[in-house]
Every structure is written in structure tokens, then in C-alpha cells.
């Protein structure tokens, strides 16, 4: 099995979601991602990322892939165990099962009652491993952001994955994983919003729009405050209190944006990926958007940027 550190010698991983009406096209895209040598495909919680992983398992041959992440409250743990084991087996061990507790708005939308994040994720992993008769389980990757969840991932998981993490904070964060942070068999990833364009202003604006909805979440704001962005996050909180959420993109500084996303020319994005490797993220997961089109356009720009890399 490929260790995650091998990605350093090649291309980053990418995030892929299946949009209704384009699901078969998404599988064609997965095969093209594999053909071009990207190090992995990771499927976010929008839609059914686990179903997409099952399809990728049957549509590709070599590439590693996984959920990044599934919300643990959306299915019974027994159902998760059966499906995760199935995907693990038919993919011949290429699947990483990323799980997490999500956020309060998602819980409210689902109508689920949740407990404390750390206790809930521990209980989920324990129950998942206790399910009998499903076969071998894949490696389990925990969604992480703040220090205590990172330590928990190192204790009970096979990896951890950030989303929209701050590169300048990774040196601090990875210390909470202890020796696991340096273990090439332990997955260390981060989902990075990425826009490739010669017009840096348009690219930056697209990323600001993407991350504005995350700035509405208290857990993210607290994380970014700890990373040194107190002024920006307090301004966001003031805008939320005043019902002026449309102001949020303009409150997110250039320094913060450069620390949490990738944008600009193809060369700038490639250089940015190297900085993420240097920060200790063994699997940078580029989440492509386009300043000039949809997901398909974003992947065209991504492929062109890394063609021949």
C-alpha cells in the first residue's frame, strides 16, 4: 500500500464531488485524475461522498481515494461499517474512511441530537470497530481542526484531515499528533480551496466567497483566532450580529486568505503546494474552483497547471 508520504514526490491530491446530472461524467473525471498521476481523490460531505467512493473503487485501478469526510450522524454505524468494508475490499485497500462530527447547522438540518464532539467520535470509532461479520475495515481518518481532536485522531485513528486549515498554524497543530505526525503510514491531509487564474484578484474573490460560509461557523472562527486572525474574526462576528453577512468576504484579509487557500497563476499554485508539504501536510487536497466557470472548468485549469509536473 502506498504511504501518504509518497505524494511528496509527485502531484497533490484533489477533491471531487458528484453533482446531480453529472455523476457519470464525474467518474470519467476520476479516471482522468488517475491517468494524470494525482496522488488521491477525496470526496467531501456534500451529496453522498461514500457512494461516490464506491463508484470510484470500481472505476479506477491504482489511485488512493477516500471520504473527506462523512458526517457520522447521517447513518447507523452498522451501515457505515458494511459499506466502508465493502469499498475497502473491492478497491484492494486503496480507500481511506474519513469521518467527522460536522457542524451545528448540518445537525439542525438533519434533525439529529448530538453530544460532545470528542466523546461522539470516540464512541463512533469504537462501535465501528465492534461491528461483526463485515470483513476488514479501511484505515479511519478523523476530521481535525483544533488541538484536542488532533490528539484524539493520533490516539484512535489512522490519520487526520483538516479542511481550510491555516498553513502558519500547522507547526503548532502537528505537535498534538506526537510521533504520528512523522509516521508516513499516518494520513495527514488538508482540504485547500484552490483557484487558478492569471487574474489574481478574481481568483482571490472566488476563494473569499467559498470560505465566507465557513466564517459563519463558530468553531472555525475560534480556530482562526488561535491562528492569529483575531481582528478578522471579530469583525465577522460583528457583521453577523448586525445581520450584515454580505460584508463578510470583504472582512477576510489578504494575509488570512494566503494562509488558508491557494490562488493565482499556475506557477504560484504549484509553489503554494510545496509550501503545504513543507508545513507538514503530506497529502494536500486541492479543492478546485474556477473564476471563469464550473467544476469542469476548474479541473481543466488544474490539469493544465500540473501537466508535465
Amino acid at each position: 500500500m502506498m504511504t501518504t508520504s509518497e505524494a511528496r514526490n509527485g502531484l497533490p491530491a484533489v477533491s471531487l464531488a458528484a453533482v446531480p446530472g453529472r455523476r457519470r461524467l464525474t467518474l470519467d473525471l476520476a479516471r482522468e485524475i488517475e491517468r494524470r498521476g494525482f496522488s488521491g481523490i477525496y470526496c467531501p460531505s456534500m451529496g453522498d461522498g461514500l457512494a461516490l467512493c464506491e463508484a470510484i473503487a470500481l472505476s479506477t485501478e491504482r489511485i488512493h481515494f477516500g471520504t473527506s469526510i462523512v458526517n457520522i450522524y447521517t447513518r447507523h454505524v452498522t451501515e457505515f461499517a458494511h459499506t466502508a468494508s465493502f469499498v475497502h475490499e473491492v478497491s484492494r485497500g486503496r480507500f481511506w474512511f474519513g469521518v467527522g462530527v460536522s457542524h451545528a447547522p448540518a445537525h439542525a438540518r438533519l434533525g439529529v441530537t448530538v453530544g460532545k464532539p470528542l466523546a461522539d467520535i470516540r464512541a463512533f470509532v469504537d462501535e465501528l470497530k465492534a461491528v461483526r461479520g463485515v470483513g476488514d475495515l479501511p484505515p479511519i481518518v478523523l476530521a481535525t481542526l483544533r488541538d484536542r481532536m488532533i490528539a484524539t485522531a493520533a490516539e484512535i485513528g489512522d490519520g487526520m484531515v483538516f479542511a481550510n486549515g491555516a498553513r502558519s498554524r500547522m507547526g503548532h497543530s502537528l505537535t498534538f499528533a506526537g510521533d504520528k505526525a512523522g509516521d508516513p503510514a499516518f494520513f495527514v491531509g488538508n482540504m485547500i480551496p484552490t483557484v487558478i487564474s492569471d487574474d489574481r484578484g478574481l481568483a482571490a474573490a472566488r476563494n473569499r466567497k467559498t470560505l465566507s460560509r465557513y466564517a459563519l461557523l463558530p468553531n472555525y472562527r475560534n480556530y482562526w483566532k488561535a491562528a492569529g486572525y483575531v481582528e478578522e474574526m471579530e469583525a465577522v462576528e460583528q457583521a453577523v450580529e448586525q445581520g450584515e453577512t454580505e460584508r463578510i468576504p470583504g472582512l477576510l484579509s489578504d494575509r488570512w486568505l494566503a494562509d488558508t487557500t491557494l490562488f493565482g497563476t499556475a506557477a504560484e499554485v504549484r509553489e503554494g503546494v510545496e509550501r503545504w508539504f513543507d508545513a507538514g501536510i503530506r497529502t494536500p487536497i486541492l479543492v478546485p474552483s474556477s473564476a471563469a466557470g464550473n467544476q469542469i472548468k476548474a479541473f481543466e485549469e488544474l490539469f493544465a497547471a500540473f501537466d508535465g509536473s
Side-chain angles (χ1 to χ4, degrees):
M1 177 182 291
M2 182 187 75
T3 61
T4 57
S5 63
E6 288 177 322
R8 178 76 204 230
N9 299 320
L11 300 183
V14 299
S15 175
L16 183 64
V19 178
R22 296 208 301 264
R23 291 178 174 124
R24 293 187 67 86
L25 183 60
T26 301
L27 297 180
D28 292 339
L29 194 52
R31 286 186 284 268
E32 182 65 10
I33 291 166
E34 178 180 62
R35 188 189 72 79
R36 288 175 174 270
F38 286 87
S39 61
I41 300 171
Y42 295 92
C43 305
S45 57
M46 63 175 293
D48 190 339
L50 192 52
L52 178 54
C53 281
E54 185 172 342
I56 290 172
L58 299 170
S59 301
T60 62
E61 296 293 334
R62 303 173 306 280
I63 196 166
H64 278 229
F65 61 95
T67 50
S68 183
I69 48 85
V70 295
N71 182 337
I72 64 171
Y73 305 108
T74 56
R75 300 186 193 182
H76 193 279
V77 66
T78 301
E79 292 300 314
F80 272 130
H82 278 280
T83 304
S85 177
F86 179 91
V87 178
H88 175 61
E89 181 176 333
V90 300
S91 69
R92 297 183 177 89
R94 295 183 289 129
F95 174 57
W96 297 82
F97 187 34
V99 300
V101 296
S102 191
H103 296 274
H107 305 155
R109 186 171 63 251
L110 293 168
V112 296
T113 301
V114 305
K116 297 292 186 180
L118 292 172
D120 282 3
I121 201 69
R122 280 184 178 275
F124 176 85
V125 172
D126 286 345
E127 291 172 19
L128 187 78
K129 292 179 177 179
V131 177
R132 301 303 177 196
V134 299
D136 294 334
L137 289 172
I140 300 169
V141 176
L142 269 59
T144 49
L145 196 62
R146 304 181 71 185
D147 300 342
R148 292 173 66 194
M149 189 63 81
I150 294 168
T152 300
E155 179 187 349
I156 68 172
D158 301 296
M160 60 183 181
V161 61
F162 297 83
N164 315 313
R167 190 175 66 250
S168 64
R169 185 70 170 172
M170 288 302 157
H172 166 92
S173 296
L174 294 178
T175 64
F176 288 85
D179 293 341
K180 291 290 185 68
D183 181 353
F186 186 78
F187 187 95
V188 180
N190 180 46
M191 306 275 282
I192 310 167
T194 302
V195 180
I196 299 168
S197 174
D198 290 338
D199 189 327
R200 297 185 79 256
L202 281 179
R206 185 68 181 85
N207 274 345
R208 279 193 170 89
K209 181 178 180 181
T210 297
L211 283 189
S212 289
R213 66 179 183 272
Y214 291 95
L216 292 170
L217 301 171
N219 196 39
Y220 266 106
R221 291 200 301 270
N222 289 335
Y223 166 77
W224 286 323
K225 284 179 183 178
Y229 300 101
V230 175
E231 182 178 347
E232 291 93 333
M233 295 306 117
E234 288 183 347
V236 168
E237 288 169 346
Q238 185 178 39
V240 172
E241 290 174 2
Q242 296 172 350
E244 299 174 345
T245 56
E246 73 280 356
R247 292 199 296 116
I248 290 176
L251 302 173
L252 303 174
S253 69
D254 292 343
R255 183 174 71 93
W256 172 87
L257 197 71
D259 203 18
T260 56
T261 74
L262 291 171
F263 61 93
T265 66
E268 288 172 322
V269 168
R270 290 194 301 267
E271 292 167 4
V273 169
E274 291 303 312
R275 289 194 292 272
W276 276 103
F277 279 127
D278 292 340
I281 297 299
R282 284 194 291 274
T283 304
I285 305 167
L286 308 191
V287 186
S289 297
S290 175
N294 60 13
Q295 181 191 45
I296 303 303
K297 179 65 173 177
F299 271 100
E300 289 175 357
E301 293 163 347
L302 185 71
F303 291 159
F306 287 92
D307 188 28
S309 295

